[in-house]
Amino acid sequence: MSDHLPPKSSVKRWLVTTNHKDIGILYIITSLFFLVFGGILAFMIRVQLWNSGAVILSDLGYNQVVTAHGLLMVFWFLSPFAFGFANYLVPLQIGADDLAFPRINAMSYWLYLSSGLLFGVSFFQGSTLPTGWTLYAPLNLPAFIPSVAEIGAFAGILALAVFVASVTLGSVNFLTTMYRMRAEGLRMRDTPLFSISILLTVWMMLFAFTALLGAVLLLSFDHIFAGTQGSGFFGSAAGGSLLWTHLFWFFGHPEVYIVFFPALGVMGEIVQTFSGRRLVGRKWFIIAMALVAIQSFIVWMHHMFLTSINLPIKTVMMVTTIGISLPFDLMIFALIYTMIKGRVRWKTPFLFVLGAILLFILGGITGVFLGAIVLDYSFRGTYWVVAHFHYVMASGAVALIGGMYYWYPKITGKMYNEFLGKVHFAAAFIGFNLLYFPMFIVWETPRRWFHYEAGFTFWHQTASVGALIFGASFLVMFYNLTASLYSDRDVGESPWAYTGSAEWSVSSPPPEGNFPGKPSFATGKLNFLEGPTTDGGEAQTDGGVAAAAEAAQPEADHTSWWPLILCATGLVTAIGISGISESYFIWPFVLAIPFFIAFVAMKGASTDGFGIVHAVYLMAAGPMLAAFLLVFHLHHGFPGGMFAANTYFWVTLVGIVSGVGALVGMGFESFLAPEPELSEQWPFEGVTNTKLGMWVFIASDIVLFGAFIGSYLFMRLRAGWREWWDIAHANGLETHAVWPGLLNTYILLASSFTVVLALAYAEKGNKRRTVGFLTLTFLGGVAFLINKGIEWVEYYFHYEWTFDAGPAASTYFLTTGLHAVHVVIGMLILLFLIARAAMGAYWSDGENAHTIEYFGLYWHFVDIVWLFLFPLFYIL
């Protein structure tokens, strides 16, 4: 209900809200900020290219700008912009009150904002990443990054890790919501196209971004432990550079479709509305999207045609690359044929969609050239790739801008100025083509370099003029939307004819509770059960209620400070420690007022070390990971003297404790999340939201461990399976004892059994034994870590098997270390469960025993992972 939230004019509302519509608006506004940020960097690139050679930027400065522009646009603008609309509209389209986990939704946004700010601050830490947005190895290693850029480059890497954490939380939330909370009678195949596109997108995000997280964590390991010698994981002679390329593009190619799929959903919605008819071949359109989503994970090697991969494998990848274009042909023809069969109304949203289709066709055709091995040898690393890439990616952005005009009246209740909207489209379309089409003509210009042949000057200057026009068009958009917000052009439910999805059946903007009753599609069209209407009847899909009342059922309390506290703690600590020198002090002071006293104590400390500084950076990715790296790196000593060491330690400890405290506080907070009542739940009937969410999270974690284990296997096979240990022996390890791993196997299996017993006694209502077996599980984790710690200490000090002693050592410490982090996280959750169980939370009549069951799923997964690690690292 509305009285659960402060008014929208209050800053507090936007800090504490968990309402999906508010979070959607925050995503849209924040992503538009990063659009401006990335756009300014893009204009700097075009100014630099006005003439061949340095104009306004140095070599390092140009590399920073090119890298940051690519990362900001791909990560911090395109996908979050789409998911701003997804947050706002998907619950409305499927008839849900909110997303399944409102607080996790808020946490996802604050992590997204934190990651973007951390990346922005990296500019002021000497330099941000200068590697290109693909971060190719070995250029991403400290040995190949100028010393002035190392701190900022590492902060940029960690910003990516935080962003992936945000994406994972959002993916779990959307998948659970869309499978469990659709309104009664709304079959999955009848879900609106935009929501279908989001469903397929989050499936791709769940697996692709977790692979990127694995790559980023491996890279972080190299930055922390490999130092500046170029050794470590991706600096290894055992295929380290090629390994990075595999990991990155296994994420990178699905990312193209992750960006474009929401735009496809927008295209489908807008074409239907403004042509006045249902999408031709809708079923096949959806099937084609699903095929692309699956195929996107088996074409990544076409980005690697210039590597040493053998020709037969490259040929297979070429065939799959060309094959993936066929479903897109079907989708584009379906959109075009729908326009032909309908009666088109040339409004601003439709113009942007039509422009996006034209741009995508050109981008797709030029991409086929890159899919051919022979042609790729000529085009790779040139401006042909730059032009193709932007015609594909920016066509999605153009469609999403059309979506913003389309849903702007729904979100704000105001109508934009149609004339200014068309001016925006005309300027953007002309400017875009002036900017990027000349790049096909001067395709021989080297990518990521500002020197080119004198004969190309005219075309590069034409592109720069196009960039100015393209950028100026967005000033028209910002003025139009801002002025319209304060205009008197009010709308009712919908300013458009022929809308068919549920968001248009309620007032604009929608009420706090979304619907005036329980939505139901059981009769084949939308009805509101147990809710008032203006005429006492049922609300229909083609109009709804002009002044929709708020939902009559009890609403969730949408006020929660914990997501903000949790994410701010990580961000403030990370940024604070990163700016410990005199020259950087102002930035943590501005961004991290609560830690002001700690910063004063660290004012004169050195930033030259890699140890605790980088461990504290990882607070932005999560307090437990920081705790692990803190303990893991103590043996290196502390840079900057003993006073600095103590400062580092205590500030790190404060960050960890406060982060854990926020989690605990959130756990004890009373919060009512919306539960599905009359809803379609195929194929997960009988599965609770939390259990499904845990399954989805574990699926992503499988990919994370798969990236680590796959990297180990890749490097070992390239080094030679038997020769692997010969290399290890040459680095000081005489034997690799089996018994520590075997003992830990028995410990973890026993701890899984005690979790099962704790659940059984919780269901029986036996408090004492529930607490007792949870405690035994915790002690099992303690025993595991002690045994593992003894083993690590012996290897490190006795055998001098250091973290950077070679690929065998790196893979062993990092993969088993990742598993140990999961054990630590599980133990902290166990402490919370024990405390709650002791207070009667899980044993009274067994009503809440499912909480222990959900934890058990995680703990069993951690144990199963060890069953794979034990033979790989101790026996084979």
Side-chain angles (χ1 to χ4, degrees), residues 38-61:
I40 291 172
L41 296 178
F43 192 68
M44 293 173 68
I45 295 171
R46 292 315 315 171
V47 171
Q48 181 81 349
L49 293 171
W50 184 260
N51 286 308
S52 178
V55 177
I56 61 171
L57 298 170
S58 64
D59 291 2
L60 178 61

Side-chain angles (χ1 to χ4, degrees), residues 369-443:
F369 287 75
L370 296 171
I373 297 174
V374 175
L375 293 176
D376 189 69
Y377 272 80
S378 296
F379 288 132
R380 181 65 59 189
T382 70
Y383 262 57
W384 184 280
V385 177
V386 177
H388 154 71
F389 184 79
H390 282 86
Y391 266 93
V392 172
M393 301 292 272
S395 65
V398 169
L400 291 173
I401 295 297
M404 184 164 63
Y405 280 107
Y406 180 60
W407 281 300
Y408 179 84
K410 172 55 57 182
I411 295 173
T412 64
K414 303 287 185 176
M415 189 62 189
Y416 62 86
N417 185 298
E418 182 68 29
F419 173 76
L420 290 179
K422 291 179 178 178
V423 169
H424 175 206
F425 166 74
F429 192 76
I430 293 171
F432 180 90
N433 285 284
L434 278 177
L435 169 57
Y436 291 111
F437 193 81
M439 295 183 188
F440 289 122
I441 301 174
V442 296
W443 65 270

Side-chain angles (χ1 to χ4, degrees), residues 529-551:
L529 309 179
E530 303 177 12
T533 65
T534 54
D535 59 0
E538 294 178 337
Q540 305 298 319
T541 57
D542 58 352
V545 183
E550 293 174 0

Side-chain angles (χ1 to χ4, degrees), residues 31-40 42 73 77-78 81 352 359 393-402 404-405 420-432 435-436 466-482:
S31 62
L32 288 174
F33 165 77
F34 288 117
L35 168 66
V36 174
F37 188 177
I40 291 172
M73 289 302 196
F77 166 59
L78 282 167
F81 187 51
F352 273 93
L359 297 177
M393 301 292 272
S395 65
V398 169
L400 291 173
I401 295 297
M404 184 164 63
Y405 280 107
L420 290 179
K422 291 179 178 178
V423 169
H424 175 206
F425 166 74
F429 192 76
I430 293 171
F432 180 90
L435 169 57
Y436 291 111
L468 180 62
I469 297 172
F470 187 54
S473 72
F474 284 91
L475 297 178
V476 177
M477 180 193 76
F478 286 126
Y479 170 78
N480 187 4
L481 299 185
T482 303

Side-chain angles (χ1 to χ4, degrees), residues 103 562 566 657-669 828-829 831-832 835-836:
R103 289 185 298 178
W562 290 110
L566 176 63
V657 171
S658 59
V660 174
L663 283 170
V664 172
M666 190 170 70
F668 279 97
E669 182 185 46
L828 291 171
I829 296 173
L831 287 176
F832 176 79
R836 293 280 284 162

Side-chain angles (χ1 to χ4, degrees), residues 630-648:
L630 176 63
V631 176
F632 194 57
H633 206 56
L634 285 176
H635 65 276
H636 276 299
F638 296 88
M642 193 61 191
F643 174 76
N646 289 333
T647 303
Y648 284 134

Side-chain angles (χ1 to χ4, degrees), residues 648-718:
Y648 284 134
F649 177 81
W650 287 112
V651 174
T652 305
L653 187 63
V654 166
I656 294 171
V657 171
S658 59
V660 174
L663 283 170
V664 172
M666 190 170 70
F668 279 97
E669 182 185 46
S670 177
F671 188 89
L672 175 64
E675 285 293 331
E677 296 179 14
L678 293 174
S679 62
E680 291 295 321
Q681 299 174 0
W682 180 88
F684 297 106
E685 298 92 342
V687 178
T688 63
N689 283 2
T690 308
K691 180 182 285 189
L692 179 58
M694 180 60 74
W695 285 352
V696 173
F697 170 76
I698 289 174
S700 71
D701 223 14
I702 290 172
V703 177
L704 177 61
F705 275 104
F708 275 64
I709 295 173
S711 298
Y712 161 78
L713 294 173
F714 176 86
M715 297 185 74
R716 184 165 180 178
L717 288 170
R718 285 185 64 89

Side-chain angles (χ1 to χ4, degrees), residues 164 206-207 209-218 247 697-711 815 818 822 861:
V164 174
L206 186 74
F207 299 125
F209 274 95
T210 312
L212 176 64
L213 178 61
V216 167
L217 291 179
L218 293 171
L247 290 172
F697 170 76
I698 289 174
S700 71
D701 223 14
I702 290 172
V703 177
L704 177 61
F705 275 104
F708 275 64
I709 295 173
S711 298
T815 309
L818 177 69
H822 281 72
F861 166 73

